[in-house]
């Protein structure tokens, strides 16, 4: 195994993702979208949702479990709401299109909601919420995911790690971006610990019998604990009902894991855009958000804390740094890229 980390420019990594996706017949535009979301995860430091997910996407596409050429259909009934059937296409492409639609609707009515059914795992939720920012809108994104979390007090996985992302614009580059799983951690992070042979922090997971465990393999067989106890559980239930049941999509155990190749993932999403001008002048609001962020920074710090960050700020800083200096890839990530390149007959160069 290659140990040394490689620093790769984001454009080069995107090119590799693009080539891999096009090698399994994804058209250039959809490959570009999916690569952009994948590289966004790596830029934000969420490597659990970056290139680590490509092998499963590629295998699913190659075996027909993800539709490489979907036809999205919309079912609008009321002015501000529509439902999209994603035709089992890539979740990234469906969610991007759905947020574009929500923004378009919000431009006309003040708020747009798009429910997506028959979709797939879409990676980092923040990406789609942030699509709203340049339009002076607030973006809200919910998705359900395959069961990984037991109901509060239970021991068998019933709920996904169902994340929620909300992006709120400030002045210039300022923004608040909340993007979080309803579980104490994303399952991808447990997979990463398993792959790296690292123990989990205490309090993250239960084994199959419902006993606390720090063994990532046992955690993957058992269940992840909710964020904030019963509150994270409650949030996961809400997201499952709103992103899955309400959209006519799969929910609870009907949503499959990415690496369960017995059928389509069948995930559902709910994407919303809210036009700030529907409430107040956008510039005034964005100024207040920036002022709010400044006040967060200036709030009295506890103990040895060096800096208080706004939600999403750590990821934004990392993105800036990685856009400039490159994305550090671990030896495992380099191995993964080389393995996929060999499997799908794609020539890649990591000398960037
Ligand atoms: N597609 C799916 O099915 C799926 C499922 C679960 C999670 N995810 C993704 O996994 C990713 C990781 O989720 P997570 O719950 O582990 O996120 P996390 O715990 O790393 O962060 C959660 C939120 O807390 C904020 N935050 C964290 N530390 C902070 C600090 N010190 N100061 C200020 N703010 C701070 C972050 O900016 C973020 O908004 C997300 O991008 C999520 O969308 C996707």
């Amino acid at each position: 195994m290659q140990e040394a980390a490689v620093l790769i420019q984001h454009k080069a990594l995107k090119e590799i993702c693009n080539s891999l996706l096009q090698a399994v017949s994804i058209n250039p535009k959809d490959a570009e979208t999916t690569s952009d979301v994948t590289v966004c995860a790596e830029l934000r430091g969420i490597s659990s949702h970056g290139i680590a997910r490509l092998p499963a996407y590629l295998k699913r596409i190659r075996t027909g479990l993800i539709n490489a050429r979907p036809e999205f259909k919309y079912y609008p009934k009321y002015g501000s709401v529509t439902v999209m059937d994603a035709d089992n296409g890539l979740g990234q492409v469906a969610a991007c299109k759905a947020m574009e639609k929500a923004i378009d609707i919000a431009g006309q009515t003040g708020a747009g909601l798009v429910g997506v059914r028959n979709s797939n795992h879409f990676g980092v939720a923040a990406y789609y919420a942030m699509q709203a920012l340049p339009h002076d809108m607030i973006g809200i994104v919910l998705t359900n995911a395959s069961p990984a979390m037991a109901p509060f007090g239970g021991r068998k996985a019933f709920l996904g790690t169902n994340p929620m992302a909300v992006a709120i614009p400030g002045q210039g580059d300022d923004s608040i971006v909340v993007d979080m799983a309803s579980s104490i951690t994303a399952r991808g992070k447990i997979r990463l610990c398993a792959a790296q042979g690292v123990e989990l922090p205490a309090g993250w997971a239960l084994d199959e019998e419902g006993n606390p465990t720090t063994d990532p393999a046992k955690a993957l067989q058992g269940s992840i604990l909710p964020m904030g106890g019963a509150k994270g559980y409650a949030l996961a239930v809400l997201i499952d009902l709103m992103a899955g049941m309400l959209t006519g999509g799969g929910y609870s155990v009907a949503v499959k894991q990415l690496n369960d190749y017995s059928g389509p993932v069948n995930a559902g999403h709910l994407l919303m855009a809210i036009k700030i001008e529907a409430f107040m002048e956008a510039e005034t609001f964005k100024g207040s958000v920036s002022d709010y962020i400044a006040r967060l920074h200036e709030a009295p710090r506890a103990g040895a804390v060096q800096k208080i960050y706004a939600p999403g700020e750590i990821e934004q800083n990392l993105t800036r740094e990685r856009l400039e200096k490159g994305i550090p890839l671990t030896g495992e990530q380099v191995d993964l890229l080389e393995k996929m390149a060999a499997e799908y007959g794609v020539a890649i160069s990591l000398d960037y």
Side-chain angles (χ1 to χ4, degrees):
M1 189 184 293
Q2 199 172 341
E3 288 303 331
V6 164
L7 209 55
I8 187 167
Q9 293 306 314
H10 71 283
K11 282 187 183 154
L13 186 58
K14 202 163 136 183
E15 224 19 75
I16 293 173
C17 299
N18 251 324
S19 308
L20 288 165
L21 287 157
Q22 289 186 49
V24 289
S25 305
I26 297 298
N27 71 51
K29 194 160 177 287
D30 291 355
E32 173 79 16
T33 302
T34 308
S35 302
D36 206 46
V37 180
T38 305
V39 172
C40 167
E42 298 293 347
L43 286 168
R44 291 173 70 77
I46 321 266
S47 55
S48 54
H49 287 71
I51 57 173
R53 301 304 175 108
L54 277 177
Y57 297 150
L58 296 173
K59 183 169 173 183
R60 282 188 165 272
I61 297 162
R62 189 172 60 181
T63 56
L65 286 171
I66 288 179
N67 184 356
R69 298 292 161 103
E71 283 180 30
F72 299 147
K73 289 197 186 70
Y74 293 92
Y75 298 94
K77 260 195 186 172
Y78 296 93
S80 52
V81 182
T82 188
V83 176
M84 177 211 265
D85 187 319
D87 197 19
N88 192 28
L90 277 160
Q92 288 82 349
V93 181
C96 248
K97 283 258 185 299
M99 189 43 112
E100 280 170 17
K101 188 73 160 178
I103 290 166
D104 186 41
I105 296 172
Q108 298 163 45
T109 67
L113 269 84
V114 180
V116 182
R117 62 177 175 238
N118 203 3
S119 189
N120 278 283
H121 185 270
F122 70 19
V124 284
Y127 184 94
Y128 317 101
M130 290 192 304
Q131 280 178 255
L133 296 177
H135 300 272
D136 286 353
M137 293 184 190
I138 294 172
I140 305 177
V141 177
L142 313 178
T143 185
N144 65 5
S146 59
M149 196 160 67
F152 193 66
R155 64 184 166 87
K156 193 168 164 35
F158 180 91
L159 292 154
T161 54
N162 307 347
M164 172 183 79
V166 180
I168 301 179
Q171 266 170 343
D173 278 353
D174 285 353
S175 60
I176 297 282
V177 179
V178 174
D179 179 20
M180 58 188 201
S182 45
S183 49
I184 193 142
T185 187
R187 180 168 35 199
K189 291 185 184 169
I190 295 195
R191 284 218 186 85
L192 274 190
C193 290
Q196 293 165 357
V198 178
E199 281 216 355
L200 304 177
W204 272 23
L206 303 178
D207 65 16
E208 266 181 305
E209 278 76 47
N211 301 311
T213 183
T214 55
D215 179 340
K218 287 187 181 165
L220 288 170
Q221 296 300 317
S223 71
I224 305 174
L225 286 162
M227 161 205 57
K231 295 182 191 182
Y233 156 63
L235 187 62
V237 169
L238 282 185
I239 294 173
D240 209 16
L241 299 193
M242 291 175 71
M245 193 185 284
L246 182 66
T247 60
Y251 50 91
S252 180
V253 294
V255 182
K256 276 200 202 309
Q257 272 193 44
L258 254 185
N259 57 3
D260 169 356
Y261 299 100
S262 63
V265 165
N266 198 17
H269 326 303
L270 188 63
L271 300 100
M272 297 167 250
I274 300 170
K275 193 172 164 70
I276 290 161
E277 289 280 352
F279 291 82
M280 65 162 74
E281 205 201 332
E283 286 310 314
T284 307
F285 178 79
K286 291 194 295 180
S288 300
V289 170
S290 289
D291 179 53
Y292 194 99
I293 293 171
R295 286 167 59 193
L296 289 174
H297 289 161
E298 285 157 15
R301 296 189 300 269
V305 171
Q306 299 285 316
K307 182 169 180 197
I308 293 176
Y309 294 95
E313 193 177 0
I314 293 174
E315 292 84 349
Q316 187 183 30
N317 289 347
L318 201 59
T319 299
R320 274 198 203 107
E321 185 189 314
R322 290 182 171 188
L323 282 174
E324 192 193 323
K325 296 186 183 152
I327 300 170
L329 296 181
T330 63
E332 282 87 359
Q333 286 180 305
V334 171
D335 284 349
L336 186 70
L337 289 175
E338 286 176 341
K339 205 167 147 225
M340 287 189 284
E343 190 174 345
Y344 293 95
V346 168
I348 62 167
S349 167
L350 292 163
D351 298 331
Y352 294 94

